[in-house]
Amino acid sequence: MKKLLLPLALMVTVATAGEQFAMSDADRAMYKEMLENNPADIFVEEGGELFEELGDEKALAKFLGVSEKELPKYIAGFPRYIKKLGNVVGIDQVLQAMQVEQGKEKYKLKSGKMFSMLAYVKSLANDEQFTIDTKADEHIKASYDLGKKTFETARGGRGLSCLSCHSADIVGQVLRTQPLPDLGKAGAGATWPAYRMTKSSLRTLQRRFQGCMKNALLKVIPIGSKEMVGLEVYISTLAQEAKQPIAIPGLKR
Ligand code: HEC
């Protein structure tokens, strides 16, 4: 194994073919089994029940001003600018706004109930390609730009950015036994919410971003902030360019 020094002075081991599996044989067997029977299914089901209390697809379509038939393709365009909320928002923020409108208890964006409901609603767009149009209006364009900038800007004690570990020239290399994924080809935007085996729970894309922030000692940005929504826009467009269809819930190491 060769060692190579990153510009950021992180030690990365370059693995040769066959060495780059991050999982043990036992873990890989478990992964295969879980693929057939994703433990997240039960959370998605729970999310469906919570969504029913909000009035289901009918109420969501009405809130968004689209027909129920258009709903899957429309969901595949999130995060997007919603005029009545005055912001580019994720599906979770739309669900929160519906709760407020109906005078119901508002779930926190980082709560398990919201993760479950978000997973269910995003799964309505399963098998669809993303339909994000970053040129649709100035708001989504600004959100994309902010997300890309957040991805590329070095922060924190070690001077790392997301790009330090997720740029094209470093993808596939191995960092502390974990191969660095190509976020486009891995369809990251299209496969979260996912069951995360190492955390034994359902996690969302923005929650996953926070995981990387923690690991790399970048200050953790709150879920639902402009930066986080922008990051979600940016990462989702990578899946869109790589033509990765939406497939919720994902299953991750
Ligand atoms: C120090 C290196 C490093 C930095 C910096 C880093 N990541 Fe990661 N990231 C990884 C590794 C390694 C994995 C795969 C881990 C695994 O398989 O559990 C990963 C996985 C991910 C995933 C999940 C990919 C999938 O398969 O769905 C996303 C999304 C992600 N990173 C986004 C980010 C974002 C956004 C940032 C910046 C805030 C960031 N990462 C910063 C190393 C890094």
Side-chain angles (χ1 to χ4, degrees), residues 6-239:
L6 284 175
L8 25 130
L10 256 183
M11 294 298 282
V12 170
T13 311
V14 182
T16 50
E19 279 180 341
Q20 56 190 24
F21 292 108
M23 293 191 245
S24 68
D25 287 345
D27 282 351
R28 222 171 308 149
M30 188 160 81
Y31 180 81
K32 237 181 112 189
E33 197 182 305
M34 285 186 172
L35 265 185
E36 275 154 37
N37 204 350
N38 191 330
D41 289 344
I42 186 161
F43 296 105
V44 177
E45 205 172 298
E46 176 208 37
E49 282 160 19
L50 299 172
F51 183 54
E52 218 173 277
E53 291 169 19
L54 265 183
D56 248 322
E57 280 100 315
K58 197 165 171 221
L60 179 62
K62 183 157 176 258
F63 185 91
L64 294 170
V66 298
S67 72
E68 273 184 72
K69 203 171 149 256
E70 290 168 311
L71 201 53
K73 280 207 162 53
Y74 195 80
I75 289 172
F78 273 92
R80 67 194 308 153
Y81 179 67
I82 298 296
K83 199 164 167 215
K84 70 174 157 190
L85 301 180
N87 267 315
V88 175
V89 292
I91 295 165
D92 50 351
Q93 289 164 303
V94 168
L95 295 169
Q96 239 189 6
M98 287 175 70
Q99 290 176 322
V100 171
E101 200 181 68
Q102 297 180 16
K104 294 205 161 83
E105 178 208 351
K106 181 173 96 175
Y107 299 157
K108 289 210 171 84
L109 294 179
K110 60 177 186 191
S111 67
K113 279 184 175 176
M114 185 54 96
F115 286 5
S116 294
M117 192 157 60
L118 168 58
Y120 178 80
V121 174
K122 191 164 170 183
S123 79
L124 297 173
N126 274 355
D127 301 329
E128 298 282 348
Q129 292 288 335
F130 273 108
T131 56
I132 297 175
D133 178 3
T134 55
K135 299 199 177 71
D137 55 69
E138 65 200 295
H139 309 281
I140 185 73
K141 189 175 179 307
S143 180
Y144 173 89
D145 289 346
L146 177 65
K148 188 161 185 289
K149 190 172 142 218
T150 306
F151 195 77
E152 292 171 355
T153 305
R155 304 186 287 129
R158 285 199 264 163
L160 293 175
S161 70
C162 311
L163 192 63
S164 306
C165 291
H166 293 295
S167 73
D169 52 334
I170 185 174
V171 156
Q173 292 183 20
V174 176
L175 175 66
R176 280 186 231 100
T177 80
Q178 294 316 312
L180 293 166
D182 177 323
L183 297 180
K185 278 199 207 117
T191 48
W192 295 87
Y195 188 77
R196 201 154 175 220
M197 291 164 66
T198 48
K199 306 284 179 194
S200 302
S201 63
L202 179 84
R203 299 284 168 118
T204 63
L205 188 60
Q206 292 188 24
R207 186 71 188 81
R208 183 67 189 86
F209 296 161
Q210 289 187 329
C212 270
M213 288 171 190
K214 270 192 206 136
N215 286 344
L217 303 184
L218 310 177
K219 195 163 178 277
V220 172
I221 307 176
I223 291 174
S225 62
K226 276 190 185 310
E227 287 80 7
M228 277 299 212
V229 175
L231 268 179
E232 179 159 353
V233 171
Y234 178 64
I235 299 298
S236 299
T237 60
L238 297 181

